[in-house]
Amino acid sequence: MTDQSSHATLMARRSRTLGPAYRHFYDAPLHPVRGQGVRLYDAEGRAYLDAYNNVPSVGHCHPRVVEALAAQAAELNTHTRYIHPKIVEYGERLTALFDPALSQVMFTCTGSEANDLALRVVRAVTGGTGIIVTSNAYHGVTADLAELSPSLGAANPLGAHVRTVAPPSGVDGGASFAAEVRTAIASLQAAGLRPAALLFDTVFASDGVYLDPPGCVAGAVAAIREAGGLFIADEVQAGLARVGSHMWAYERHGVVPDIVTLGKPLGAGHPLAAMVIRPDLLAEFGAKTRYFNTFGGNPVSAAVGLAVLDVIRDEGLQENADSVGRALQDGLATLAQRHPEVVAEVRGTGLYAAVELRGAPGTAGQGISWLLNDMRRRGVLLGSCGSHGQALKIRPPLPFGEDDLAELLTALDEGLSQDGLCHILGA
Ligand SMILES: Cc1ncc(COP(=O)(O)O)c(C=O)c1O
């Protein structure tokens, strides 16, 4: 059942049953039926190069992850109220990847739940409610998080306790980021609100991917601490080897967060997320309240998390993200030189990159939308980022190899040369 009519029928059933709040990618929605490594295959057997998905971190359907999941599911699945060695072992292995100050972990199923828990902790520990986020941040699906996710748009008003700051960009981005955070702190205080936390995605993905220069977030982190607040590093997008040079993107900046939230790549497709934290903060939170997440940290998830860590180590995926990531950033810089009429800027580190198009953000956003569809027709999957979707988002699974990169760059070179794109951008 792979023909167009069955595809159209499925689309109709999907919208009839799932309703209008779900979106799909591409003008011609993709219907993959199988995944392996960095490839997705549609119902007709066509292969697509996945240069977009960070959730299948170690590659789609990695056999070691699938095997670990199936074996544990066949033996026992319970929850964190019973003792299980895999939950403890996974916690030990995960926290060992952090600075010694961040030595405890709590498990959740999604990045949203991890951020939501972090909010509860900072409120309980600081006694404050004020939260500072970036101007196009996205931090998750709960009502609390929607209130501090400006990227959801004007129909989702921000909370009165929320202040936004521009992400750091440009050579003096660190100074302006720190200055904006200080202004936001003053604004909260003027409203009688105690600052509880500065919360940002450590690659500023939805803002458009801003990673440089290393160290540019340090002044802002110092500012929130001076004001009695905490720094929550949202590593849901950035974490687990993707930046190549480090396991976690915040490490590039030489700062140690008070709390780190994790999600997407931890389970390579399985819903596994976590909050890593300083034990003194958790002691205070734990003394005041309890936390039970029915599925968070179950033994099957723990087995999956362990297998993902094993694969990253055994297949040298951080080293791969570093070396192929450097080649990716160099290759994109070369493309930017070849297509100066359409490319405004290339940003990124490791296997996380953004290519911003020229023109007003709205027009560039239309250009990216055109380019994404064009690349899909060429068999390459990519995404967009920025307040108007004006930048291409490149974020492949970690085993992305040199041949995959060559394929991506060739396709992108062709896509950026098309009259259709130049026409939209007026180039
Ligand atoms: C930076 C960031 N934080 C949190 C989340 C929420 O994670 P989840 O969708 O697993 O709830 C996302 C999801 O896109 C994200 O990008």
Side-chain angles (χ1 to χ4, degrees):
M1 293 292 283
T2 63
D3 58 24
Q4 278 307 312
S5 64
S6 70
H7 181 74
T9 307
L10 187 59
M11 286 295 295
R13 283 170 51 209
R14 179 186 189 268
S15 80
R16 193 163 53 238
T17 309
L18 305 186
Y22 286 108
R23 308 287 194 267
H24 58 69
F25 288 149
Y26 309 117
D27 295 343
L30 189 66
H31 177 176
V33 295
R34 190 167 67 82
Q36 188 181 13
V38 298
R39 303 276 156 180
L40 285 175
Y41 299 85
D42 71 11
E44 280 80 34
R46 180 171 185 204
Y48 292 83
L49 177 64
D50 187 354
Y52 171 72
N53 286 296
N54 57 345
V55 172
S57 48
V58 296
H60 289 274
C61 308
H62 194 289
R64 286 179 70 183
V65 177
V66 175
E67 196 185 309
L69 185 151
Q72 187 57 49
E75 187 177 286
L76 175 74
N77 201 17
T78 52
H79 50 74
T80 47
R81 279 182 164 152
Y82 296 115
I83 312 305
H84 195 283
K86 284 209 173 100
I87 301 173
V88 178
E89 188 189 342
Y90 182 52
E92 290 168 348
R93 291 268 306 273
L94 192 60
T95 52
L97 299 174
F98 287 83
D99 185 278
L102 294 162
S103 61
Q104 290 189 332
V105 60
M106 292 182 69
F107 295 113
T108 63
C109 304
T110 66
S112 300
E113 288 179 349
N115 278 333
D116 203 77
L117 174 57
L119 284 183
R120 287 179 61 187
V121 173
V122 297
R123 284 177 191 148
V125 170
T126 66
T129 54
I131 305 286
I132 301 167
V133 295
T134 53
S135 43
N136 200 48
Y138 178 73
H139 291 292
V141 297
T142 68
D144 260 354
L145 293 168
E147 281 201 330
L148 40 88
S149 291
S151 69
L152 291 174
N156 266 279
L158 297 184
H161 60 294
V162 179
R163 297 293 182 275
T164 60
V165 294
S169 81
V171 275
D172 67 346
S176 59
F177 190 48
E180 290 221 13
V181 168
R182 284 183 201 284
T183 304
I185 290 168
S187 161
L188 286 170
Q189 289 166 337
L193 297 163
R194 194 186 301 179
L198 169 64
L199 164 64
F200 59 82
D201 165 358
T202 47
V203 291
F204 301 97
S206 53
D207 286 291
V209 182
Y210 294 94
L211 282 136
D212 288 308
C216 65
V217 306
V221 170
I224 191 70
R225 286 183 173 144
E226 280 162 28
L230 297 168
F231 165 38
I232 306 170
D234 182 333
E235 289 269 342
V236 170
Q237 285 275 341
L240 208 63
R242 175 155 299 278
V243 297
S245 58
H246 298 86
M247 185 58 81
W248 314 108
Y250 73 77
E251 293 177 286
R252 286 183 82 246
H253 294 299
V255 292
V256 180
D258 301 295
I259 300 176
V260 183
T261 54
L262 307 172
K264 296 179 187 283
L266 290 193
H270 181 82
L272 171 59
M275 177 189 74
V276 174
I277 185 168
R278 278 173 30 204
D280 58 311
L281 301 178
L282 201 47
E284 208 170 328
F285 180 68
K288 288 180 178 159
T289 189
R290 66 183 177 82
Y291 185 83
F292 174 59
N293 186 319
T294 303
F295 298 109
N298 68 76
V300 171
S301 298
V304 166
L306 283 166
V308 169
L309 294 184
D310 288 345
V311 172
I312 288 176
R313 178 196 59 208
D314 297 347
E315 296 186 7
L317 293 184
Q318 186 180 342
E319 295 76 5
N320 188 68
D322 193 32
S323 62
V324 179
R326 281 172 204 274
L328 167 67
Q329 306 298 338
D330 289 350
L332 293 176
T334 304
L335 282 187
Q337 281 166 8
R338 278 172 56 74
H339 301 281
E341 68 291 351
V342 288
V343 177
E345 193 178 34
V346 169
R347 300 183 289 269
T349 293
L351 290 177
Y352 217 126
V355 179
E356 180 133 352
L357 295 187
R358 287 203 181 281
T363 312
Q366 287 170 22
I368 289 292
S369 172
W370 185 94
L371 190 59
L372 290 180
N373 284 296
D374 179 77
M375 293 295 282
R376 180 226 190 278
R377 284 190 290 274
R378 293 173 197 278
V380 177
L381 306 181
L382 291 162
S384 65
C385 57
S387 56
H388 292 73
Q390 73 272 26
L392 204 58
K393 182 164 68 178
I394 305 176
R395 191 191 53 177
L398 298 175
F400 204 71
E402 282 172 15
D403 291 350
D404 305 317
L405 176 60
E407 189 179 330
L408 165 67
L409 292 174
T410 302
L412 201 48
D413 192 19
E414 286 166 10
L416 291 169
S417 310
Q418 299 303 303
D419 290 344
L421 180 62
C422 296
H423 181 71
I424 292 171
L425 299 182

